[in-house]
Amino acid sequence: MTAGPRTLFAKLWDAHAVRDLGGGRALVHIDRHLIHDVTSPQAFAAMREKGRRVRHPELTFATADHIVATEPGRGDASVPGGAEMIRALRDAAREHGFRNYDVADPDQGIVHVIAPELGLALPGLSIVCGDSHTTTLGALGAWAWGIGTSDVEHVLATQTLIVTKPKTMRVRIDGALATGVSAKDVILALIARIGVDGALGHALEFAGAAVRGLDMESRFTLCNMAVEASARAGLIAPDETAFAYVEGREFAPKGADFARALADWRALPGDADAAFDRDIAFDAAALAPRVTWGTDPAQNIDIAAPVPADAPGRALDYQGIEAGKPLLGLKLDRVFIGSCTNARLSDLRAAAAQIRGRRVPAHTCAVVVPGSGRVKRAAEAEGLHETFLRAGFEWREPGCSMCAGLNGDRLAPYERCLATSNRNFEGRQGPNTRTHLASPATAAASAIAGAIADPRDLGGRA
């Protein structure tokens, strides 16, 4: 038990530590285990070899997202090599009895999108998945993090993990966001400030007036990219916004159980005088739309600024850009709106607001990939898909798509793409491809321009 006033993370740690193993390590209980089609088949094969069963199938939930195709009419074999992994996950679900949101399931989607919308992610839970962006779910006040394949097997067999306790870091974002600035711009600005290893070894908690003013979907964006600063977890203290979001969802408590859970959730925020190992702050009002210029998420700038004069030559050469020159007007071959970072309904609304009555030029291919079947249906009910289609965008089925380049949605060598995803590493979207990260509003405005563009210039709302 943590002594004295406790942070949100300390409370989550204390609630889940089953046994102190010394040296800062503990055996912790896992409340939800999320799995997908890429990192789980190997774990199930190892389980089968050792004669092990899934210990708690009722706490295990799966979806096919990384390697599935997103074209209409897709099937298991739409992506070369995908059928084997998709079927392996399906067979494991049948063998062990856990819920699988398969390719044809109406609620299939990106694991980090469907978990909160189904109520699988709730305040106070410990949640793991074989994917680094599981930090997304910390926006609800959950302790959520990504694990490797060997740990996936360990959780399947024991519903526990051995974890080294991270330090704590608070980022206070004060003030209010200007028009045209979104949560994606906030997290990019933070990573530019502290670097890709700026939160290494820490559980990072977002706080401040600007964070409290965000809706839940924007909070998911913040926590999604906490891992891009090497954070072990991304957290936001649960409040009325979070409680209203989870109430009534399929796997959320109901009736009297919800009232009891709510009482527990209200006790989760950190104590007023709890100390953090690190504490930083910045003013949200000073932020502008951001875009990456280089080959890691920290290499980003205000959209109207020039590329830094001291930018590393390797990144400049790879991206085919010059130091001292702005990115505005840089021609784009592709625009991708999707991923676990920005493929929720509010993201699609922000993008659609930029493009009504406008068309994508012939030299740019623009694609919208909803984060889940539920997001897709809600967007279609509002007519957002028609807005995109009229503007010349492709409207796809749910999946990770072009974010990871594992599923056929890849760029050709030396093509340039502006994406709403979370990583711009060399080769992320295919060999020798050039990726720039930005918000949905910036992506949509840039698609219409056929080049990197400031969303504030089109007059749409972020």
Side-chain angles (χ1 to χ4, degrees):
M1 182 76 174
T2 307
R6 296 183 295 165
T7 63
L8 166 61
F9 180 76
K11 293 181 181 183
L12 293 168
W13 176 272
D14 290 345
H16 292 90
V18 176
R19 181 179 297 172
D20 187 348
L21 301 177
R25 299 191 311 155
L27 183 71
V28 301
H29 180 266
I30 304 303
D31 296 319
R32 292 283 192 277
H33 188 193
L34 309 175
I35 55 180
H36 59 71
D37 46 1
V38 172
T39 57
S40 63
Q42 306 92 321
F44 284 112
M47 293 266 290
R48 196 170 296 112
E49 288 175 5
K50 298 167 187 174
R52 291 174 174 166
R53 301 286 302 172
V54 174
R55 185 174 181 84
H56 283 288
E58 77 281 7
L59 303 180
T60 305
F61 298 86
T63 190
D65 60 359
H66 277 62
I67 207 164
V68 299
T70 61
E71 293 91 346
R74 65 187 180 182
D76 291 356
S78 296
V79 175
E84 182 179 358
M85 301 181 84
I86 292 168
R87 290 168 186 165
L89 182 58
R90 184 181 300 142
D91 291 344
R94 188 180 302 113
E95 178 183 354
H96 295 277
F98 58 83
R99 181 69 164 89
N100 178 31
Y101 294 91
D102 210 337
V103 178
D105 193 294
D107 290 332
Q108 175 270 339
I110 304 172
V111 64
H112 315 306
V113 176
I114 71 169
E117 70 184 13
L118 291 168
L120 298 173
L122 298 169
L125 297 187
S126 61
I127 308 169
V128 296
C129 176
D131 188 286
S132 58
H133 294 102
T134 308
T135 54
T136 305
L137 309 178
L140 286 165
W143 176 16
W145 72 103
I147 58 177
T149 298
S150 60
D151 283 343
V152 169
E153 181 188 353
H154 194 282
V155 178
L156 289 170
T158 71
Q159 207 62 36
T160 65
L161 269 182
I162 296 173
V163 181
T164 299
K165 188 176 185 179
K167 295 180 179 180
T168 56
M169 176 178 179
R170 178 170 59 186
V171 175
R172 289 177 293 120
I173 307 171
D174 301 313
L177 298 178
T179 300
V181 180
S182 71
K184 182 64 163 289
D185 303 307
V186 173
I187 191 60
L188 285 173
L190 172 64
I191 299 169
R193 174 172 167 177
I194 68 175
V196 292
D197 59 355
L200 184 66
H202 290 74
L204 191 161
E205 181 174 340
F206 297 97
V211 175
R212 292 192 298 272
L214 294 175
D215 61 26
M216 273 312 309
E217 296 193 347
S218 297
R219 296 181 187 190
F220 290 135
T221 297
L222 277 186
C223 290
N224 174 272
M225 290 190 66
V227 72
E228 305 308 334
S230 299
R232 294 280 303 281
L235 300 163
I236 296 174
D239 58 9
E240 297 306 317
T241 298
F243 305 149
Y245 177 88
V246 301
E247 186 173 10
R249 296 190 181 271
E250 183 176 345
F251 288 92
K254 304 293 191 301
D257 288 338
F258 184 83
R260 283 190 289 270
L262 193 57
D264 292 337
W265 296 342
R266 293 190 191 283
L268 285 172
D271 301 328
D273 48 355
F276 290 79
D277 295 297
R278 292 182 62 193
D279 211 333
I280 66 173
F282 65 90
D283 182 11
L287 299 179
R290 310 281 296 189
V291 64
T292 60
W293 56 265
T295 53
D296 72 48
Q299 294 176 332
N300 72 81
I301 51 176
D302 284 358
I303 196 163
V307 174
D310 60 352
R314 178 186 173 96
L316 295 175
D317 291 343
Y318 185 87
Q319 291 288 78
I321 58 176
E322 295 182 43
K325 292 190 175 181
L327 294 175
L328 285 175
L330 187 63
K331 186 177 177 180
L332 296 171
D333 302 293
R334 304 279 192 104
V335 171
F336 166 57
I337 298 174
S339 85
C340 58
T341 314
N342 285 123
R344 296 173 179 84
L345 184 59
S346 60
D347 299 315
L348 303 190
R349 288 170 175 162
Q354 291 288 330
I355 65 177
R356 289 189 172 93
R358 302 178 173 108
R359 288 280 303 179
V360 177
H363 71 266
T364 301
C365 173
V367 178
V368 181
V369 184
S372 71
R374 293 191 179 203
V375 171
K376 185 173 188 284
R377 292 191 297 275
E380 290 175 347
E382 294 183 12
L384 298 182
H385 66 308
E386 295 174 348
T387 299
F388 290 119
L389 290 168
R390 282 196 297 268
F393 286 73
E394 295 181 26
W395 179 249
R396 297 288 193 87
E397 298 296 324
C400 293
S401 187
M402 206 175 288
C403 174
L406 297 174
N407 41 50
D409 294 348
R410 299 167 66 139
L411 308 184
Y414 305 107
E415 281 192 322
R416 188 179 304 279
C417 178
L418 192 143
T420 64
S421 44
N422 41 51
R423 288 184 174 158
N424 56 331
F425 304 149
E426 293 185 14
R428 174 72 174 178
Q429 295 184 299
N432 297 312
T433 55
R434 295 161 171 168
T435 304
H436 301 271
L437 305 179
S439 72
T442 299
S446 298
I448 294 301
I452 294 177
D454 191 328
R456 297 170 297 186
D457 293 343
L458 288 183
R461 298 177 61 85

